[in-house]
Amino acid sequence: MKLAVLGGGGVRSPFLAKSLALGAKETGITEVVFMDIDEEKLYIYGKIAKRIAYMIAPELRFSLTSDADEALKDADYIITTIRAEGDEGRVFDERSALNEGVLGQETTGAGGFAMALRSIHTLKEYCEKAKVLSKPDAPIFNFTNPSGLVTQALRTMGYSNTYGVCDAPSGFLRQLKEMTGEKKLNFECFGLNHLSWFTDFKVGERDVTDEIINHPDLYTKTEMRLFEEGITELSDYLLPNEYLYFYHYRDKAVSSVLKSSKTRGETILEINNHMLAEMRKIDIDSDFEKAFHCFMEHYAMRENSYFSIESGKVRAEKFPVPDAEEYVKQPDNGGYAAVALEFIKAKNTGNPVQMVLSIPNEGALDFLDDADVCEITCTVDSEGVHPHKAGNVPEMQKNLICAVKHYENLTVEAIMEKSKKKAVKALTVHPLICSYPIAKKLVDIYSERYEKYIGKWDE
């Protein structure tokens, strides 16, 4: 079976390659193609990814290409991890929002809206190609941000083989397992991508919710470090997705970024540019270890600064910088590739697997329409994907989910109808903006910048 990765020249490609190589045999994947239109980055990061995959699974056919048709031809599965306009687009989006006094963050609020303008158009073109070139109804795992909103758009456009994947829920679960030592720990998740909550923590049939909520390390060794303990009680003892920090600490987040010399996007751009400049000096084929060390050193800078600008807090544990041999021997920390692999394995074997996906609601949340894409715990088996029905969702969560879902649906309609009025309405109703003048100005800025993606919008 063939798996195509669109966006295979991204900085996270070596991690994706490790997961795919480790899971290839069990899932029946025999061929992996990493495709990217940026040939230089594909040569550098894709080449590192290919070498890592070979060290783990030399029998796996692993190739690199800048030709999307070649990558998609006869693909059984497709992963999309696209960043149209690159880091420069992110910097523009975040600064434009901050200039108007609202949050600049690439997946949430105004920044997420701007990223959706370029992401949705780009992925629509690839989905059309996949319909013609790939295997019939080949599952498309969308990691492209804002993942939930992009998946909503693609589903609304008729691409029913698209599934949104985010590694925030699986990453949080991994942290909880490490904190408690319970390898069989699981939970239920409900909400929207980057706007979800976790509940019903269990080890087998044993309910350990109280143990998790009251664990002394919860607010130091997991992403709950971003929140004060009072947030848990305020949230009816549901634990929030880390991105809810931007909603519960909106003013602090904006103030912290404005006081900083750089936004998160500017920080990432600087790190990536420096890494690329250093990597250009290295012959990857003849000195792979030096190239890998350079890569890991810079990637650690990214990870160690995660959420630090917005919150003023740093992760308790520093990101390690192993050599290549150490890295391939380390247990895989999962991430979004692991979710895709578990999905493939469940579909192929029929053995049910529980995971969190962004898929159409289909009654899981009784206050949303069936077609509304939500982030929900699902059971995947040979028959398909079955969302778990959420219990009684508290009013606080229900109201916030409905407000942001309304924004998402308006954004999709605005893009499909080329309607500037609907775009302005979308940003006006978003809880992180809630201002008609600001919404109007930002829509003008973003629609002008990304006209090549969205076309000319009606006034």
Side-chain angles (χ1 to χ4, degrees), residues 1-5 16-34 53 56-63 71 74-79 135 138-139 141 143 336-349:
M1 289 194 301
K2 177 181 177 180
L3 185 147
V5 176
L16 178 58
K18 178 182 177 179
S19 295
L20 294 176
L22 286 170
K25 189 172 183 179
E26 192 175 11
T27 54
I29 295 170
T30 57
E31 181 181 3
V32 173
V33 182
F34 273 30
I56 296 168
E59 72 284 357
L60 180 66
R61 284 183 290 158
F62 196 114
S63 60
D74 297 325
D76 296 275
Y77 299 97
I78 301 160
I79 286 175
K135 296 288 180 64
F141 302 106
F143 305 150
Y336 49 70
V339 179
L341 289 169
E342 286 294 298
F343 182 106
I344 295 170
K345 185 168 64 176
K347 287 281 287 181
N348 289 346
T349 66

Side-chain angles (χ1 to χ4, degrees), residues 90-122:
R90 177 179 185 173
V91 168
F92 176 84
D93 299 344
E94 291 180 349
R95 273 297 169 195
S96 297
L98 287 166
N99 288 342
E100 301 307 316
V102 296
L103 181 71
Q105 203 283 328
E106 73 164 346
T107 66
T108 304
F113 170 85
M115 191 172 192
L117 297 186
R118 55 189 193 271
S119 297
I120 290 168
H121 171 81
T122 303

Side-chain angles (χ1 to χ4, degrees), residues 282-451:
I282 304 170
D283 186 324
I284 298 174
D285 291 320
S286 62
D287 203 348
F288 176 73
E289 195 56 58
K290 183 178 181 180
F292 185 77
H293 180 78
C294 179
F295 166 75
M296 290 298 289
E297 206 171 34
H298 285 85
Y299 195 83
M301 296 178 196
R302 291 167 52 112
E303 288 299 300
N304 292 334
S305 64
Y306 183 65
F307 259 97
S308 62
I309 294 171
E310 300 89 346
S311 69
K313 299 178 181 180
V314 296
R315 284 173 164 167
E317 296 183 3
K318 296 296 182 183
F319 191 84
V321 183
D323 62 31
E325 288 289 345
E326 291 171 335
Y327 175 67
V328 297
K329 291 176 182 177
Q330 290 174 348
D332 187 36
N333 66 5
Y336 49 70
V339 179
L341 289 169
E342 286 294 298
F343 182 106
I344 295 170
K345 185 168 64 176
K347 287 281 287 181
N348 289 346
T349 66
N351 297 326
V353 173
Q354 182 173 308
M355 65 182 64
V356 177
L357 295 169
S358 287
I359 60 168
N361 178 48
E362 295 180 356
L365 296 169
D366 60 12
F367 51 90
L368 294 182
D369 290 340
D370 284 349
D372 285 339
V373 168
C374 61
E375 186 169 84
I376 198 84
T377 301
C378 309
T379 296
V380 181
D381 57 26
S382 58
E383 300 299 314
V385 181
H386 316 284
H388 294 191
K389 186 172 177 59
N392 294 321
V393 178
E395 289 298 317
M396 173 184 169
Q397 284 80 1
K398 187 184 297 185
N399 289 337
L400 189 51
I401 291 169
C402 287
V404 176
K405 190 72 243 179
H406 187 40
Y407 145 79
E408 288 188 350
N409 286 335
L410 282 168
T411 300
V412 173
E413 290 171 16
I415 291 170
M416 293 180 69
E417 299 170 19
K418 299 186 183 300
S419 170
K420 186 173 283 190
K421 288 182 179 178
K422 284 198 172 180
V424 171
K425 187 174 182 179
L427 288 188
T428 301
V429 303
H430 197 290
L432 294 178
I433 300 169
C434 279
S435 165
Y436 171 70
I438 292 175
K440 191 173 184 298
K441 186 168 183 179
L442 286 175
V443 168
D444 285 340
I445 291 170
Y446 293 141
S447 60
E448 180 180 353
R449 169 86 177 204
Y450 301 124
E451 185 176 330

Side-chain angles (χ1 to χ4, degrees), residues 159-205:
Y159 304 109
S160 58
N161 53 331
T162 306
Y163 303 89
V165 181
C166 177
D167 58 356
S170 60
F172 184 54
L173 180 59
R174 184 178 67 254
Q175 290 176 345
L176 293 178
K177 287 179 177 179
E178 292 172 354
M179 180 186 79
T180 61
E182 297 283 4
K183 294 182 179 179
K184 295 185 178 180
L185 176 68
N186 223 324
F187 56 43
E188 293 290 321
C189 171
F190 72 88
L192 308 177
N193 178 237
H194 287 183
L195 192 89
S196 56
W197 289 263
F198 309 102
T199 185
D200 295 330
F201 299 88
K202 290 184 178 179
V203 176
E205 295 300 315

Side-chain angles (χ1 to χ4, degrees), residues 94-95 98 256-268 270-271 309-310:
E94 291 180 349
R95 273 297 169 195
L98 287 166
S256 295
V257 177
L258 288 173
K259 288 177 183 177
S260 175
S261 60
K262 300 183 186 72
T263 64
R264 175 66 175 167
E266 288 162 352
T267 301
I268 294 297
E270 184 178 274
I271 293 171
I309 294 171
E310 300 89 346

